[in-house]
Amino acid sequence: MASVFLGINDRTYTYESTAARAEHMGAGVRYPIDFAMTEDEIAYIVNRGREDRPDGTRLTVFSLGEDGEEYISTFGSYGEEPGQFIWPMGITLDKNTNVYVTDEWLHRVTKYDQDGEYISHWGTHGSGDGELNRPAGIVVGQDDTLYIVDSRNNRIQKFTLDGKYLSKFGSAGSANGEFNLPWGMCLDADDNIFVADWRNDRVQSFTSDGKWLATFGTPGAAGTPGTGGDCSNAVIKGGITYTNAPVGQFNRPTGVCVDQDGDIYIADWLNNRVQVLTPEGRFITEFTGDGHLSNMGVAKLKSNPDMIRQRNGIRNFTPERVLWAPCAVKMGQNNRVIIADTTRHRFQIYRKNTEPVVV
Amino acid sequence: MTSNSVASKDKTTTIDLMAHLMRRAGFGADRDELERRVAKGYEATVEELLNPQGNRADREHFLRYHPGFRRAVTSPGMGASVWLYDLMHTERPLEEKMVLFWHQIFATGQSKVDHWHELIAQVDMFRDKGMDSYRDMLVSLAQNPAMIYWLDNCDNHESGVNENWGRELLELFSMGVGNYTEDDVFECSRAFTGWTISTVPPRNYYSRFDWSFEYQEEDHDNGEKTFLGNTGNFNGEDIINIICQQPATAEFVARHLYNFFVADEPPVPAWSVTPPKDPKAIATLAKAFTDSNYDIRSVLRVLFLSDFFQNARFTKIKSPAEVVVGTLRLVGQDILPGPGIGDLSKQAGYMGQELLNPPSVEGWHTGVEWINSGSLMKRINFVADMLGDTSRPGVQRIIDRLKAQGNLGAEELVDNCLELVGPVKTGSATLHQLVEHAAQHGELAWDTDESTKASTARVGELLQLIAAVKEFQYC
């Protein structure tokens, strides 16, 4: 698809707030890699955690409403038993707020109820129909079809909500309709499928029956290759942070969502930003991060005067502002755009304005 | 020995030499790679190692599955996981070996720095600069936040000089004891006042923030200094330029290169009283260093093409990092990404070399000091566990080559296995014991599923035994 990055548009966005803080246990998150929102703006969050602190690998439930964040509960844990996971990755909710979580290591999907009670799990490692190899992104369609990014098989598979195989599409490659280790996915209002085609540095869209529709983006990296998405590549100009990568170019996109107008939000992982495109693929804007102290961050600081003193000595707050390898972006209510700022263990929240706002 | 054995004599000389080069300039190579490189030629391989065209490890792929290692963590040994992945997966083995070399010399440790990611940033710098200008790398080292913190240069002020960095720059990083005075240490340290780290937010609420180098002009001593007979208003870079003009620097770096790549020397503190094993070799390397304007790549070329290097086979005891990385590369790299990265990254530490956490700024004592009863058991058990796992792709490739030989008698089996995991050269007594073990169950056969299964298991056992022989500890 041709991409035009010039011209006016009628959307403006403003930074709203930052939510949550880094915690392995209790009220916080650790490497939030994906999340799913209810209509009440309750977020079910996948905390990937890390190997030396398996207690941080868990699902947390937060309210991420406009009144500020509030920690609600935790469920799931690190392990191979039913209800546990090793590498939890994608998460989605069905109409009854049952929770579905993919596990990239155990190659399975685990289902919980809305309170986090384990219901079932399914999945067999392999490449045959219905088998999984590193399942990643997961969404539920309006017809209760469960779509799963079967990443190492480079395909999308469709299942019933209880795991019965329905169909598949996609194969390995870089042509339209092909994938290279795809990661996140979402559906638009018509159940068209958008897939973050990770190693092809692009997003592709498909009809719900797998017909290719469009490709968005080309490869492009900020800063020095091999830096692993180091946020020190971000620069600050006039109080706004930027990456150095051209717009419309992606460096390992991870998550994608589409708003009610059809605008597309893409977590541009190693460029440390979220890009916003029109439904036709025209660049609208990018979020590189405006993070401030969340309520939970303030509470943490207040617990330790030494931290307050250290922070007061800072001359450059850019590192605290910028997104750092964000993995997921979702729409909340009232045009709120919620970004999982994965490596900073928090969420940065923007708002799409109904009328133009000077920023 | 059969006529079509992989150990046939016409191949042995070149394979042995290539294996020697790859053990020293890399982390070993399997038989397929050795044969490819022999076909390419020794000198061409040296050039390819010096100017690599292959890829570095795909760290982004690793971080996709281990996002927690984007900035490494606090638990002992875990922080080196990213580097272990680099070591295992690089297609540029000498480049990565030089990272290990500089880490040994410019030894910086987590025990004080307490920020693994700053240490990873330091070894990343070694990767980018490790085969280029030594002078430029010293400047980068002086501006490296982990080093600044490690040696207290952030506490080195115009109003109060801290000599830690200045002293180690001269003593351990460039010239060696006996080639400067205490006054030189002080004047050197004055020149580096104001070279510090910028303040960052506290780590507790959004995790750790990166340090960065900051030059604070207002804290720099702009007075006149006299250093190694030169007088002027020197800043840090001027000091490094003067250091690089000293013959002692060339000899010091040459001896380090000799110790790392050719043969074990005594620990650095003994160098001022113990002459080099091969003064002529040191002189050759030092001259190459000076003639090339401190270009490390040029010195390495001279080293690898020299007779003293090519004749120095099995004269060094493998470092724990060489044991672990060499084994993991040999058995196949399907292990990562995957759970267990933390355990793997700690293995070298169990053997006495915790990467990114050397015992002091002096680095590790090498050679025979790698070996004690505890570390030897760790070394053997680790390698034996890996080589004994016949499901690993690298072990499968060894078995496939053995199968291609057809049925094998005990001597042929031992001979071939020693070739395929090295080649490893054993003494006659060791060889006799290995053959005696291999002969216990008769000829190795592959003609039925049952015999293949049994033979596979026997090969696994034999490889485990080979991992335990003394000669396997040398490279």
Side-chain angles (χ1 to χ4, degrees), chain A residues 20-130:
Chain A
R21 72 180 183 213
E23 297 287 356
H24 293 289
M25 306 166 66
V29 295
R30 270 285 169 177
Y31 302 99
I33 202 166
D34 196 17
F35 62 107
M37 300 292 296
T38 71
E39 291 183 355
D40 300 328
E41 296 204 290
I42 303 298
Y44 287 76
I45 302 162
V46 177
N47 296 281
R48 181 63 164 248
R50 55 180 210 230
E51 192 173 306
D52 66 316
R53 284 296 302 267
D55 51 341
T57 301
R58 58 181 179 149
L59 306 176
T60 47
V61 186
F62 270 76
S63 170
L64 291 182
E66 296 176 49
D67 297 335
E69 75 270 37
E70 184 179 354
Y71 169 71
I72 297 173
S73 66
T74 290
F75 62 95
S77 61
Y78 187 85
E80 298 189 14
E81 297 299 314
Q84 294 185 309
F85 28 68
I86 298 293
W87 281 357
M89 179 63 157
I91 189 167
T92 193
L93 309 172
D94 66 19
K95 290 169 184 166
N96 298 317
T97 325
N98 291 312
V99 183
Y100 302 80
V101 178
T102 56
D103 185 328
E104 290 183 294
W105 185 252
L106 299 177
H107 312 287
R108 72 187 188 188
V109 177
T110 299
K111 182 176 181 179
Y112 310 84
D113 71 14
Q114 63 177 332
D115 297 321
E117 292 297 322
Y118 166 77
I119 296 174
S120 63
H121 70 262
W122 47 269
T124 303
H125 185 203
S127 58
D129 288 351

Side-chain angles (χ1 to χ4, degrees), chain B residues 20 87 89 120 126 141 181 204 275 298 345 401 405 410 433 442 466:
Chain B
H20 171 64
L87 287 159
H89 291 84
I120 291 291
F126 295 156
L141 188 71
T181 66
N204 305 63
S298 298
S345 71
R401 277 185 174 264
Q405 303 288 318
Q433 286 183 323
I466 289 173

Side-chain angles (χ1 to χ4, degrees), chain B residues 447-465:
Chain B
D447 46 356
T448 65
D449 287 348
E450 194 175 340
S451 65
T452 297
K453 190 177 174 185
S455 296
T456 298
R458 286 177 59 194
V459 170
E461 289 173 9
L462 183 58
L463 294 177
Q464 287 183 310
L465 272 183

Side-chain angles (χ1 to χ4, degrees), chain B residues 318 323 327 371-373 375-388 417-418 421 424-427 429-431 433-434 437 459-474:
Chain B
K318 293 175 188 169
V323 171
T327 303
I371 302 295
N372 56 53
S373 54
S375 69
L376 183 60
M377 287 305 295
K378 291 288 185 188
R379 291 164 74 108
I380 292 171
N381 286 342
F382 176 78
V383 179
D385 283 351
M386 289 290 165
L387 288 179
C417 284
L418 287 169
V421 297
V424 174
K425 303 298 178 192
T426 65
T430 302
L431 190 62
Q433 286 183 323
L434 290 171
H437 172 84
V459 170
E461 289 173 9
L462 183 58
L463 294 177
Q464 287 183 310
L465 272 183
I466 289 173
V469 304
K470 174 187 172 187
E471 291 83 351
F472 193 83
Q473 302 303 326
Y474 287 84

Side-chain angles (χ1 to χ4, degrees), chain B residues 353-372:
Chain B
Q353 189 182 24
E354 187 184 336
L355 292 177
L356 304 184
N357 202 22
S360 76
V361 67
E362 199 178 294
W364 290 275
H365 289 185
T366 59
V368 292
E369 292 201 38
W370 288 128
I371 302 295
N372 56 53

Side-chain angles (χ1 to χ4, degrees), chain A residues 229-241:
Chain A
D230 191 325
C231 66
S232 63
N233 289 326
V235 293
I236 188 160
K237 296 176 184 173
I240 301 172
T241 53

Side-chain angles (χ1 to χ4, degrees), chain B residues 375-446:
Chain B
S375 69
L376 183 60
M377 287 305 295
K378 291 288 185 188
R379 291 164 74 108
I380 292 171
N381 286 342
F382 176 78
V383 179
D385 283 351
M386 289 290 165
L387 288 179
D389 183 351
T390 54
S391 69
R392 299 225 174 268
V395 182
Q396 277 291 324
R397 285 195 292 275
I398 290 173
I399 291 168
D400 288 344
R401 277 185 174 264
L402 293 171
K403 277 185 189 172
Q405 303 288 318
N407 291 3
L408 292 169
E411 285 187 25
E412 292 168 310
L413 174 61
V414 170
D415 198 20
N416 278 281
C417 284
L418 287 169
E419 281 289 308
L420 293 172
V421 297
V424 174
K425 303 298 178 192
T426 65
S428 56
T430 302
L431 190 62
H432 177 73
Q433 286 183 323
L434 290 171
V435 170
E436 201 172 63
H437 172 84
Q440 284 178 359
H441 301 288
E443 196 173 60
L444 207 67
W446 308 96

